[in-house]
Amino acid sequence: MLTGKNLTLFIVVCILLLSSTTRFKAVVKAQDGDLIVDPSREGPGFYKTIQEAIDNASSGQTIFVVNGTYYENLFIYKSNISLIGEGRDVTIIDGRQFSNVISILADNVTVRGFHIRNSGISSGSAIRIEHAKGNCITDNRLTDSFDGVGVQTSSNNTISNNVATDNSYGIRIYMSSNNRISGNTVSSSAYDGVRIDTSSNNVISNNSILNNYDGLGLYTSSNNLVTGNVISGNWDGIALSTSTNNTVTRNSIFSNICGILLAHASINNIFYFNNLNNKPQVDSQPPATVFPNSWVFKDEGNYWSDYNGTDANTDGVGDIPYRIDQYNLDQKPLMGPFSDYYLLLHAELFQIDIIGNATVTDFMFEMGAETGNRIIRFNVIGREEDGFFCRIGIPDALMVYPTLVLVGEEEIIPKNLSSSDSTCSSTYFSYPHSNRTVSIISSTTLYLLSQMLDKYLQLQAEIGWQNDTYNALLNNYSRLWNSYDQLKQAYDSLKSSYNSLLNTQSENA
């Protein structure tokens, strides 16, 4: 039953929820290129093959490839060009099982929007970013093998929103740095879906790496960031060999034969905020004894599907460590899988993290056009007998005012958690499980109402303090009056005795 302040807040929330809202969605727009590859058209600026367009491109130009199937093996040896397909489902580059389908030997190259298939059957890649040796390209073709002499890394390239299927390797980076592999789907590779060799400072983010021999391989590589990927159905989800100081975070690694393989002194890597559901979860060969890997960062560990610990202090983190081996422990295992959501508001990108034991669907952010109230809303689906808990981290700049949590139509009082991140606030709440809608609301109206109620309670407290002070003074006055009265009575008695004594002396005289 809602009473007092909670009832007032609930009524205000009901009014706010009836207000008109604006929903924010991500919008992606295609961009035309300077050079167009379209076999059906002729004239200046049009090319029959992709390689012909590359050969004629200048620094800063974009090559736009219309839909169709292109049987080519491409060499991109010019820096600062973009190769854009009309759509990754309809723009296909087929390598005819020969060598690499796309070889990049340059800097600041973008490849986006292609389906890339059928590389060489022994060692070819769908896309290979490779160091360039002086004089290795003649007549626009690779004419010399790389022997490491005069090596110059290929850097600052972006490979995004492509599909790579049925290749020996999916996407491979060799002796190159500062490249970004993002938003690709890589599947059915004979070897690694994504392979990083002798390379550093690359970012592999938000890719789907599915049903390859190994999902993601890091070999003699350091200081790379692996984040936001879905890695499933591979032999090893992530394999590290002689690789150090890499960061692996916010990945979903599940249904692999082995989740993470650590081989040949792969040490000083950091793994945190990953979801792992494999058997085994980690295979360390041999276990690192002197410089083990870290499984916690800023009090955030990983979710392990086979963790059996408890959470007595209700903060979404297990009370006992998860044991990987005798040298590797996750000291802060998460009690449920995490999910993260991104939204763009007023040109600022916000990230919301949710940890819970229910499936989260239909996540949305709404903003009242008239009231200005901000609402995060999502559905939770789970089994009734499990009970539901949720820990949500919200940037303070997104939810400016204090928030109200509703599960269904009932207000839930959350537990505010301390955090090492001063820009984000985390709250924890639980509720008997069923399929429900969670609404987290922040609004000016609620803020002002809360301020009014707080001032009212403060005023009541001040009045009560003044009343207590008055009563204390009154009690002191009463005690003083009683003391005065007793003193006066003693004085009158003494005076009477004194007069009686004087009278007696007078009579005797």
Side-chain angles (χ1 to χ4, degrees):
M1 181 176 180
L2 298 173
T3 59
K5 182 178 179 179
N6 290 340
L7 178 60
T8 307
L9 289 175
F10 180 75
I11 294 171
V12 173
V13 169
C14 291
I15 297 172
L16 292 175
L17 291 176
L18 294 175
S19 304
S20 60
T21 58
T22 302
R23 297 186 180 182
F24 295 85
K25 298 181 179 179
V27 178
V28 179
K29 295 182 180 179
Q31 296 180 355
D32 293 332
D34 297 325
L35 308 180
I36 299 176
V37 179
D38 186 348
S40 67
R41 301 177 69 178
E42 296 183 356
F46 292 95
Y47 298 89
K48 300 294 184 181
T49 68
I50 303 172
Q51 188 65 56
E52 183 184 6
I54 293 170
D55 296 342
N56 286 275
S58 299
S59 177
Q61 286 193 295
T62 296
I63 300 168
F64 182 78
V65 183
V66 301
N67 68 76
T69 301
Y70 299 83
Y71 295 93
E72 301 189 54
N73 298 91
L74 305 177
F75 290 88
I76 303 176
Y77 54 92
K78 296 180 178 181
S79 296
N80 303 305
I81 66 172
S82 296
L83 185 63
I84 309 299
E86 187 170 355
R88 70 182 204 172
D89 296 325
V90 294
T91 312
I92 301 169
I93 306 176
D94 191 310
R96 301 161 293 185
Q97 296 186 341
F98 174 74
S99 190
N100 304 309
V101 184
I102 301 176
S103 298
I104 299 174
L105 305 99
D107 300 332
N108 300 303
V109 171
T110 296
V111 176
R112 183 174 73 243
F114 293 96
H115 184 152
I116 307 159
R117 68 190 188 193
N118 291 332
S119 73
I121 59 176
S122 60
S123 61
S125 303
I127 299 176
R128 179 171 170 129
I129 300 173
E130 189 155 7
H131 70 282
K133 190 186 74 171
N135 302 318
C136 68
I137 297 175
T138 302
D139 297 328
N140 302 330
R141 292 296 181 267
L142 184 66
T143 59
D144 193 5
S145 62
F146 295 137
D147 59 11
V149 179
V151 166
Q152 179 181 358
T153 66
S154 296
S155 61
N156 298 309
N157 300 293
T158 299
I159 310 300
S160 65
N161 195 30
N162 300 286
V163 173
T165 59
D166 300 309
N167 302 283
S168 291
Y169 295 93
I171 300 172
R172 189 171 183 180
I173 300 176
Y174 179 65
M175 293 187 71
S176 297
S177 61
N178 297 301
N179 300 285
R180 177 175 290 273
I181 310 299
S182 179
N184 305 281
T185 297
V186 184
S187 63
S188 303
S189 303
Y191 303 108
D192 299 78
V194 177
R195 182 178 176 115
I196 313 299
D197 284 294
T198 320
S199 300
S200 62
N201 299 307
N202 299 285
V203 177
I204 301 92
S205 64
N206 302 311
N207 302 284
S208 295
I209 305 173
L210 313 171
N211 304 315
N212 307 279
Y213 182 77
D214 277 345
L216 169 64
L218 293 168
Y219 302 90
T220 319
S221 296
S222 62
N223 299 304
N224 298 285
L225 173 62
V226 179
T227 181
N229 302 283
V230 175
I231 303 174
S232 178
N234 310 282
W235 186 274
D236 293 319
I238 298 178
L240 290 85
S241 179
T242 324
S243 294
T244 61
N245 299 310
N246 298 286
T247 298
V248 179
T249 181
R250 296 183 177 276
N251 303 283
S252 292
I253 307 167
F254 61 93
S255 299
N256 303 284
I257 302 301
C258 174
I260 298 173
L261 172 65
L262 301 171
H264 302 106
S266 290
I267 58 176
N268 279 340
N269 301 286
I270 182 168
F271 302 84
Y272 71 98
F273 226 58
N274 299 288
N275 292 330
L276 291 112
N277 186 355
N278 314 272
K279 184 180 283 189
Q281 305 279 29
V282 179
D283 183 7
S284 184
Q285 303 176 349
T289 58
V290 180
F291 302 103
N293 297 285
S294 175
W295 302 90
V296 176
F297 180 72
K298 290 186 177 180
D299 295 327
E300 300 288 0
N302 303 270
Y303 169 71
W304 308 87
S305 60
D306 52 347
Y307 177 67
N308 293 317
T310 58
D311 181 17
N313 62 343
T314 61
D315 63 354
V317 176
D319 299 321
I320 60 175
Y322 177 86
R323 187 181 187 276
I324 299 164
D325 58 44
Q326 58 181 324
Y327 303 107
N328 288 277
L329 296 175
D330 184 343
Q331 300 285 352
K332 300 287 184 178
L334 306 179
M335 291 300 296
F338 84 92
S339 53
D340 50 7
Y341 303 89
Y342 297 84
L343 59 94
L344 188 65
L345 177 62
H346 303 322
E348 186 174 358
L349 185 66
F350 295 97
Q351 176 179 317
I352 296 97
D353 295 325
I354 296 177
I355 297 170
N357 62 338
T359 300
V360 175
T361 65
D362 301 320
F363 181 93
M364 68 181 66
F365 173 76
E366 299 174 329
M367 185 170 178
E370 298 175 359
T371 62
N373 55 294
R374 299 181 178 188
I375 305 173
I376 291 173
R377 184 179 288 119
F378 53 89
N379 295 328
V380 290
I381 302 172
R383 299 186 306 174
E384 187 76 30
E385 59 268 25
D386 290 340
F388 167 60
F389 84 87
C390 176
R391 195 187 88 178
I392 183 166
I394 304 174
D396 295 335
L398 178 64
M399 291 294 202
V400 180
Y401 302 113
T403 57
L404 180 71
V405 177
L406 297 179
V407 177
E409 297 180 351
E410 183 174 349
E411 181 187 359
I412 300 297
I413 305 301
K415 175 183 178 181
N416 294 320
L417 303 175
S418 60
S419 174
S420 57
D421 187 350
S422 60
T423 65
C424 181
S425 298
S426 294
T427 58
Y428 178 101
F429 58 92
S430 59
Y431 196 79
H433 217 321
S434 62
N435 299 342
R436 295 181 179 272
T437 298
V438 175
S439 300
I440 301 174
I441 305 162
S442 174
S443 74
T444 306
T445 304
L446 286 176
Y447 175 67
L448 294 176
L449 176 61
S450 178
Q451 277 194 326
M452 290 174 58
L453 291 175
D454 288 343
K455 289 182 178 179
Y456 170 74
L457 294 174
Q458 182 180 1
L459 182 61
Q460 275 192 326
E462 290 176 353
I463 292 175
W465 176 80
Q466 291 176 357
N467 286 337
D468 291 342
T469 302
Y470 170 76
N471 290 331
L473 288 173
L474 186 61
N475 290 333
N476 289 336
Y477 173 78
S478 297
R479 287 195 296 270
L480 287 172
W481 179 261
N482 290 334
S483 297
Y484 169 77
D485 188 56
Q486 292 174 3
L487 184 60
K488 186 175 183 302
Q489 290 179 6
Y491 170 77
D492 290 340
S493 176
L494 181 59
K495 183 179 179 181
S496 176
S497 298
Y498 174 74
N499 290 333
S500 177
L501 180 60
L502 287 177
N503 292 333
T504 301
Q505 290 179 347
S506 177
E507 290 177 357
N508 294 332

